[in-house]
Amino acid sequence: MSLSQRVRFSQGTAAELHFSRRIQVKPLRLACVGLGRMGCIRSEAIATHPKAQLAWVVDLDEGRRSEFSARFAAKGSSNAADALSDESVDAVWIAAPTDAHEDLIKEALANGKAVGVEKPVCNSPVAAASCYDAAESAGLPLFCSFQRRFDPTYQDVATHVASGAIGTVKKVRKAWQATCPERTAHAGRCRFTQCFGTTPARTLTSSSEAVIPSTIFLSTT
């Protein structure tokens, strides 16, 4: 099974089976590692979901950590190991800088936690594959947030491309713009924006070829 197929499988069947069993019994207790732009969004979503509970928030920024800890009655720490070793935690959402993903994913899996991670999974396909190997060995899901694949507008475009209704797609160009808080404007953000461009393009065209990220425009000429 290719890496892309393993990613899709882990986002579907494995995660669905693992989480559904636990959610039916009790609220899913999650730790969020990293409180940058996406970490804050994920933490609030977890804390306000009726079938989940935000158990831990981890970040080096004491002010941000204390804010979320008090707001959602979650434990807080600057050390991810504190949250990952907590036996009451069912799953971990990793929103730390990309450079830290591989180690955090493997540590979480080693502690028996299901893992959700922001894209990109790691800095390289080799590192990402090793993380999925670790997840398979542990019998736990590793879910990456490729949420655009489930967006109705993207699915509609992908359907038209797959059917050949618009002809043969020869070029994909993507324009993406978002406000980035100062505290998240680090070097890793470059990889983040590139990933934001390549993953939707690959999904729309069912292609494994890299594209240059640059609203989505499809050209058949």
Side-chain angles (χ1 to χ4, degrees), residues 38-59:
M38 291 310 303
C40 290
I41 292 172
R42 305 302 187 197
S43 293
E44 184 166 357
I46 292 167
T48 56
H49 195 287
K51 294 184 179 180
Q53 179 183 356
L54 184 63
W56 282 87
V57 287
V58 178
D59 198 273

Side-chain angles (χ1 to χ4, degrees), residues 114-131:
V115 180
V117 61
E118 295 298 330
K119 54 185 169 287
V121 176
C122 296
N123 283 330
S124 73
V126 172
S130 72
C131 286

Side-chain angles (χ1 to χ4, degrees), residues 12-201:
T13 306
E16 181 179 347
L17 289 175
H18 181 85
F19 288 125
S20 63
R21 288 172 184 155
R22 306 188 84 152
I23 289 177
Q24 289 171 5
V25 177
K26 63 177 183 177
L28 193 69
R29 286 174 54 80
L30 292 100
C32 185
V33 180
L35 290 173
R37 177 175 178 269
M38 291 310 303
C40 290
I41 292 172
R42 305 302 187 197
S43 293
E44 184 166 357
I46 292 167
T48 56
H49 195 287
K51 294 184 179 180
Q53 179 183 356
L54 184 63
W56 282 87
V57 287
V58 178
D59 198 273
L60 295 177
D61 186 321
E62 183 178 358
R64 183 63 59 88
R65 186 176 72 242
S66 297
E67 174 192 341
F68 274 74
S69 180
R71 182 179 173 189
F72 298 118
K75 294 180 180 180
S77 178
S78 60
N79 187 349
D82 293 336
L84 301 184
S85 61
D86 185 340
E87 294 184 358
S88 72
V89 171
D90 300 304
V92 177
W93 192 273
I94 297 172
T98 305
D99 291 342
H101 284 190
E102 183 178 3
D103 289 342
L104 288 170
I105 289 170
K106 291 178 178 177
E107 185 177 354
L109 292 169
N111 279 278
K113 317 300 184 191
V115 180
V117 61
E118 295 298 330
K119 54 185 169 287
V121 176
C122 296
N123 283 330
S124 73
V126 172
S130 72
C131 286
Y132 282 100
D133 285 340
E136 289 178 10
S137 296
L140 294 165
L142 171 55
F143 177 94
C144 185
S145 60
F146 290 124
Q147 68 269 19
R148 294 294 181 186
R149 293 177 177 177
F150 306 97
D151 187 310
T153 55
Y154 277 73
Q155 291 184 337
D156 184 54
V157 173
T159 297
H160 282 77
V161 171
S163 70
I166 65 172
T168 301
V169 177
K170 298 181 179 179
K171 180 173 66 175
V172 178
R173 182 166 65 89
K174 181 181 187 296
W176 178 72
Q177 181 177 0
T179 301
C180 216
E182 182 179 349
R183 73 187 303 272
T184 63
H186 49 70
R189 186 61 52 187
C190 295
R191 288 191 292 273
F192 173 84
T193 53
Q194 287 182 354
C195 184
F196 230 91
T198 57
T199 53

